[in-house]
């Protein structure tokens, strides 16, 4: 294809590279040729041009190519060949992602410079995105341990150079950075900031009902806001992420003939035995994720995520008639409960209502849980009418209706394969059987065994069984409404408007530990056997060490009531109790060393070594010392709340079973 020189491209200069006086005759030129050249140089510019054209036309093709290359080198300037890399990168730093990708198509040197990691790390940060630095380092360490061959396999690369042509045919413009390429980083999640800025999440405020029976007691619920979902951008100038128009996305509009995708690993890092994730690749993965969320034009099969609403816009009559108070979903189904007193089952593939609405409650449905598996096939719901109703999920049939489950509204419930646990505005928690039980079943709480002497109350006398959905125990201890419960193994954890969280032993039917820290009523709670995570109308989320009741993190950022939390530390299968405890002890040693330095009134240069620790503990054991363990714990309780710092001067607790922040991918505070 011939180049159109009618429009000079960048780097072209009209200035002549050499003046006439600077032109020297080649040594191989004879006297006649020199005389002829001198005569031509004396001609006017137009005449000289005509002479050169005739000479070029008469030359063989090989000479024409050589002359063309000479002219190209004399008239076009490529800064990438002449300027220092630092200067080129400083200029590229002003480009947005779209322009960087366009620059990468100019030539191989331009591409090498436009793929610089610092450039794309800056682009990543300007978007306001964050990356879990610890997870990233862990992934790189795994690749390093497995070796270069495995690292290339992790990236879907079977070998070859860092830059390869993918196929032989010419690609369409929109195929540059194709959405079909790339490997998603396993386990990546938001966490620690890698760029220059922190991520901003989506803020959601829910409107409160004017029905006093529908609310949680002891928590302050805003009543002046309508339902609002507002994405907050930390940077108003983040152009790529500020629009959902595919035409403005940096990736689909590049004039590329090659399908050149950024590699997962930085250039040559795998061969050097130290794989490092490349920031162009990380930016691409995050941009793909954002596009999947924002795009409304792509076919569902091409999208990782689909925005939808229930009911389907074409069937608005299937929806609830009043506000929805509770939902639960799986991959295939969603179940919702509403102030309109109904429960509705939804097919998430079609966004359509399944069957008829389930009617049985006489007031608002406040809480529910379901299990769609055929061998369970159950929905359990609770409402302002104090009812607990058990339904068959597949048919909507009522299996059991407990009309006086509590004396006031049922605010929350949870079930597992053994029990149904409900909590209420009446300040109590109740445990119900899921199935019929023999009276010697280990599932029967031991403190209730004596009550089995009353067969009229507990037993199906014909079969000497405790009937399914029978009340097994009532837990009393809270002084205000119990707003949330969760069950784990033999422990129930409850959160109340009285500002406390209580852990209960199911078998013994008594509280085993109380957790304090919130300054207002607690609305929600999660428990994984190691930590308790709670949200409150004091606008904070707090994490407690379940073994010691110590507060190990306080997440402050919400501007109003935290109505619900969903916590996953992700380490139950990968990190042992002993490893977590070792992390906690390491943080403790730093604290004790600081305590010793403060007591001695001098700077300790040995850090947290055994001598410093021994000195600190000896001082703390000394009865005459003014720094006793009680004083230490008092100072920790009065410390400024933080997300779980392991800085000895900012730690919230010592002697815990989990490290500051809770351990796992979450809570590695500093």
């Amino acid at each position: 294809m011939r180049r159109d020189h009618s429009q000079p491209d960048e780097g072209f200069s009209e200035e002549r590279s050499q003046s006439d006086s600077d032109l020297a005759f080649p040594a191989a030129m004879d006297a006649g040729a020199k005389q002829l050249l001198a005569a031509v140089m004396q001609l006017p510019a137009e005449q000289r041009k005509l002479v050169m054209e005739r000479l070029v036309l008469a030359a063989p093709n090989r000479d024409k190519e050589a002359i063309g290359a000479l002219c190209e080198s004399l008239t076009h300037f490529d800064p990438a060949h002449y300027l220092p890399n630092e200067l080129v990168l400083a200029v590229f730093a002003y480009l947005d992602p779209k322009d960087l990708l366009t620059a990468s198509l100019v030539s191989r040197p331009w591409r090498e410079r436009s793929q610089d990691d610092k450039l794309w790390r800056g682009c990543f940060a300007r978007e306001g995105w964050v990356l879990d630095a610890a997870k990233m380092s862990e992934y790189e360490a795994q690749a390093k341990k497995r070796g270069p061959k495995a690292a290339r396999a992790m990236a879907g690369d079977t070998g070859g150079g860092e830059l390869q042509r993918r196929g032989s045919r010419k690609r369409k413009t929109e195929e540059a950075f194709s959405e079909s390429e790339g490997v998603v980083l396993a386990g990546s999640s938001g966490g620690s900031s890698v760029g220059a800025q922190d991520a901003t999440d989506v803020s959601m405020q829910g409107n409160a009902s004017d029905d006093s029976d529908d609310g949680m007691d002891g928590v302050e619920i805003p009543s002046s806001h309508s339902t609002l979902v507002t994405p907050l951008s930390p940077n108003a100038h983040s152009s790529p992420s500020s629009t959902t128009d595919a035409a403005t996305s940096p990736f689909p509009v590049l004039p590329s003939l090659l399908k050149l995708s950024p590699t997962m690993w930085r250039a040559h890092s795998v061969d050097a035995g130290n794989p490092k994730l490349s920031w162009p690749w990380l930016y691409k993965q995050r941009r793909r994720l954002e596009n999947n969320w924002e795009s409304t034009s792509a076919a569902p099969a091409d999208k990782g995520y689909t925005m939808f609403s229930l009911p389907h816009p074409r069937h608005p009559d299937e929806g609830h008639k009043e506000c929805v108070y509770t939902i639960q979903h799986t991959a295939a189904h969603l179940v919702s409960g509403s102030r309109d007193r109904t429960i509705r089952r939804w097919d998430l593939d079609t966004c359509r209502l399944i069957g008829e609405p389930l009617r049985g409650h006489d007031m608002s449905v406040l809480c529910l849980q379901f299990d769609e598996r055929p061998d369970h096939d159950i929905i359990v719901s609770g409402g302002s009418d104090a009812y607990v109703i058990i339904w068959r999920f597949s048919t909507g049939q009522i299996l059991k209706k407990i009309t006086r489950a509590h004396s006031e509204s049922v605010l929350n419930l949870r079930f597992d394969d053994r029990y149904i646990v409900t909590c209420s505005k009446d300040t109590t928690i109740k445990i119900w059987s899921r199935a019929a039980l023999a009276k010697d079943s280990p599932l029967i709480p031991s403190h209730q065994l004596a009550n089995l002497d009353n067969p009229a109350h507990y037993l199906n006398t014909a079969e000497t069984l405790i009937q399914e959905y029978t009340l097994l125990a009532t837990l009393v201890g809270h002084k205000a409404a119990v707003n949330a419960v969760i069950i784990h193994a033999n422990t129930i954890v409850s959160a109340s408007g009285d500002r406390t969280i209580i852990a209960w032993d199911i078998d013994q039917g008594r509280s085993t530990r109380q957790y304090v820290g919130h300054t207002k009523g607690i609305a929600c709670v999660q428990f994984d056997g190691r930590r308790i995570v709670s949200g409150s109308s004091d606008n904070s989320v707090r994490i407690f060490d379940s073994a010691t009741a110590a507060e190990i993190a306080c997440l402050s950022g919400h501007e109003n009531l935290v109505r619900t939390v969903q916590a996953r530390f992700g380490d139950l299968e990968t990190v042992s109790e002993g490893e977590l405890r070792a992390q906690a002890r390491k943080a403790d040693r730093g604290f004790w060393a600081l305590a010793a330095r403060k007591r001695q009134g001098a700077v300790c240069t040995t850090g947290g070594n055994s001598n410093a620790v021994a000195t600190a503990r000896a001082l703390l054991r000394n009865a005459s010392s003014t720094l006793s363990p009680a004083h230490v714990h008092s100072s920790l309780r009065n410390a400024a709340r933080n997300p779980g710092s392991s800085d000895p001067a900012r730690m919230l607790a010592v002697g815990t079973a989990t490290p500051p922040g809770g351990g796992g991918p979450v809570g590695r505070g500093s």
Side-chain angles (χ1 to χ4, degrees):
M1 180 181 291
R2 295 183 60 187
R3 177 187 290 230
D4 181 5
H5 286 285
S6 61
Q7 294 294 329
D9 53 11
E10 294 183 15
F12 176 82
S13 175
E14 286 286 357
E15 298 295 330
R16 292 174 58 182
S17 59
Q18 291 177 296
S19 65
D20 292 344
S21 60
D22 292 335
L23 292 175
F25 295 116
M29 185 176 290
D30 60 24
K34 293 178 181 179
Q35 187 178 6
L36 177 60
L37 178 58
V40 171
M41 296 302 297
Q42 298 300 320
L43 294 174
E46 287 299 321
Q47 293 297 313
R48 189 165 50 192
K49 178 180 177 183
L50 292 174
V51 172
M52 287 189 291
E53 286 181 354
R54 297 307 302 175
L55 289 173
V56 170
L57 289 174
N61 287 340
R62 180 182 301 176
D63 293 343
K64 290 176 183 176
E65 290 181 358
I67 294 171
L70 175 63
C71 293
E72 186 84 11
S73 66
L74 294 175
T75 58
H76 292 81
F77 171 76
D78 184 353
H81 286 294
Y82 297 95
L83 297 180
N85 281 346
E86 294 80 4
L87 187 56
V88 174
L89 295 178
V91 174
F92 280 5
Y94 288 95
L95 302 181
D96 62 23
K98 176 180 175 180
D99 292 334
L100 271 177
L101 293 176
T102 303
S104 73
L105 301 174
V106 173
S107 65
R108 185 180 293 270
W110 280 58
R111 178 171 179 82
E112 290 173 353
R113 288 158 179 77
S114 66
Q115 294 292 295
D116 181 78
D117 260 47
K118 290 183 179 179
L119 290 176
W120 287 97
R121 182 171 180 168
C123 292
F124 198 99
R126 286 195 296 272
E127 297 285 356
W129 299 337
V130 296
L131 204 61
D132 188 334
K135 199 71 177 179
M136 183 175 170
S137 298
E138 179 184 349
Y139 194 76
E140 292 171 343
Q142 290 177 359
K144 181 177 181 179
K145 182 177 180 180
R146 295 176 184 176
K149 185 175 181 180
R152 292 190 181 95
M154 292 166 71
D157 181 12
T158 57
E162 295 286 348
L163 182 64
Q164 301 179 25
R165 179 190 292 267
R166 304 294 294 273
S168 59
R169 71 176 179 87
K170 291 184 177 180
R171 306 289 176 163
K172 296 180 180 179
T173 296
E174 58 269 20
E175 288 186 3
F177 269 10
S178 167
E179 291 293 320
S180 65
E181 295 184 351
V183 181
V184 176
L185 176 60
S188 291
S189 62
S192 305
S193 176
V194 177
Q197 307 177 38
D198 293 332
T200 301
D201 208 342
V202 177
S203 171
M204 302 183 67
Q205 294 176 326
N207 62 321
S209 167
D210 56 1
D211 185 345
S212 61
D213 287 336
D214 295 348
M216 294 177 291
D217 194 26
V219 296
E220 300 172 6
I221 304 176
S223 58
S224 60
H225 301 287
S226 60
T227 302
L228 177 67
V229 179
T230 308
L232 303 176
S233 175
N235 301 286
H237 63 274
S238 295
S239 55
S241 62
S242 62
T243 177
T244 59
D245 186 355
T248 62
S249 173
F251 295 111
V253 294
L254 302 178
S256 175
L257 300 180
L258 298 179
K259 195 171 188 178
L260 301 175
S261 181
T263 57
M264 173 187 282
W265 305 113
R266 295 182 195 174
H268 313 301
S269 66
V270 174
D271 293 333
N274 189 28
K276 294 292 182 181
L277 290 168
S278 78
W279 280 95
W281 182 86
L282 291 169
Y283 184 96
K284 175 189 172 182
Q285 303 308 312
R286 182 56 187 264
R287 170 50 54 198
R288 291 178 64 195
L289 179 64
E290 294 294 325
N291 288 347
N292 281 338
W293 278 114
E294 296 172 353
S295 175
T296 58
S297 59
D302 297 332
K303 295 167 61 179
Y305 305 92
T306 303
M307 303 295 288
F308 64 92
S309 62
L310 301 174
H312 194 285
R314 296 179 183 175
H315 304 277
D317 54 305
E318 294 181 348
H320 287 286
K321 309 309 176 187
E322 296 190 56
C323 57
V324 176
Y325 284 145
T326 179
I327 64 170
Q328 186 201 349
H329 73 87
T330 62
H333 300 100
L334 182 145
V335 177
S336 57
S338 167
R339 192 179 179 185
D340 66 9
R341 308 179 185 182
T342 68
I343 295 170
R344 302 185 187 226
R345 299 161 294 158
W346 304 90
D347 184 326
L348 293 183
D349 287 334
T350 63
C351 298
R352 296 294 305 277
L353 181 68
I354 300 174
E356 293 295 320
L358 309 186
R359 293 181 169 86
H361 283 280
D362 294 335
M363 297 179 70
S364 302
V365 181
L366 300 181
C367 51
L368 62 81
Q369 184 180 343
F370 77 96
D371 191 333
E372 64 196 348
R373 292 175 294 175
D375 53 337
H376 291 260
D377 198 19
I378 187 177
I379 302 173
V380 182
S381 61
S384 297
D385 49 16
Y387 296 175
V388 171
I389 302 179
I390 296 92
W391 316 74
R392 191 177 301 282
F393 172 82
S394 58
T395 64
Q397 171 192 358
I398 293 180
L399 302 176
K400 179 78 171 182
K401 186 173 183 177
I402 309 172
T403 56
R404 301 193 66 179
H406 286 270
S407 59
E408 295 190 62
S409 302
V410 179
L411 300 180
N412 195 226
L413 62 85
R414 286 289 184 270
F415 66 75
D416 61 12
D417 293 347
R418 307 162 299 161
Y419 307 113
I420 299 172
V421 180
T422 61
C423 64
S424 169
K425 195 173 181 179
D426 66 10
T427 76
T428 68
I429 301 159
K430 296 192 176 183
I431 306 173
W432 312 78
S433 63
R434 270 287 304 270
L437 301 173
K439 63 183 199 176
D440 59 350
S441 170
L443 295 182
I444 299 174
S446 60
H447 71 285
Q448 290 292 333
L449 292 177
N451 294 326
L452 296 180
D453 294 335
N454 184 353
H457 185 67
Y458 278 96
L459 299 180
N460 178 332
T461 55
E463 303 179 10
T464 64
L465 292 174
I466 296 179
Q467 300 178 52
E468 58 187 0
Y469 314 126
T470 294
L471 178 64
L472 297 178
T474 300
L475 308 179
V476 180
H478 282 292
K479 297 179 176 61
V482 185
N483 296 317
V485 291
I486 190 165
I487 183 172
H488 181 86
N490 191 48
T491 301
I492 293 171
V493 174
S494 58
S496 170
D498 64 10
R499 308 179 185 181
T500 66
I501 298 169
I502 297 179
W504 308 82
D505 184 290
I506 295 176
D507 186 59
Q508 298 298 321
R510 60 180 178 83
S511 64
T512 58
R513 203 173 295 276
Q514 190 173 93
Y515 305 80
V516 295
H518 284 290
T519 59
K520 293 184 179 179
I522 305 169
C524 49
V525 69
Q526 287 277 296
F527 174 52
D528 67 357
R530 294 176 175 176
R531 318 102 173 149
I532 293 172
V533 183
S534 56
S536 164
S537 58
D538 65 10
N539 306 345
S540 73
V541 174
R542 302 192 187 221
I543 305 176
F544 298 89
D545 177 46
S546 64
T548 63
E551 180 184 331
I552 53 179
C554 178
L555 311 179
S556 301
H558 288 286
E559 297 179 356
N560 223 312
L561 160 71
V562 181
R563 185 67 181 260
T564 184
V565 292
Q566 185 71 34
R568 177 182 295 177
F569 283 79
D571 65 354
L572 293 179
E573 302 297 329
T574 60
V575 181
S576 69
E577 301 282 351
E579 290 172 317
L580 274 183
R581 194 174 296 274
Q583 294 176 29
R585 297 292 76 77
K586 180 180 179 181
D588 289 352
R589 286 193 292 273
F591 174 83
W592 294 120
L594 178 62
R597 293 197 296 270
K598 287 184 176 180
R599 179 66 183 86
Q600 293 169 332
V603 176
C604 177
T605 59
T606 56
N609 64 17
S610 58
N611 292 333
V613 174
T615 301
R617 289 176 174 168
L619 288 168
L620 293 171
R621 287 195 300 267
N622 190 337
S624 63
S625 174
T626 58
L627 183 63
S628 67
H631 293 144
V632 173
H633 285 280
S634 175
S635 67
L636 295 180
R637 285 195 295 271
N638 295 330
R641 303 295 92 181
N642 63 72
S645 175
S646 56
D647 181 347
R650 302 180 64 217
M651 283 174 56
L652 300 180
V654 293
T656 58
T658 51
V666 179
R668 290 187 175 131
S670 59

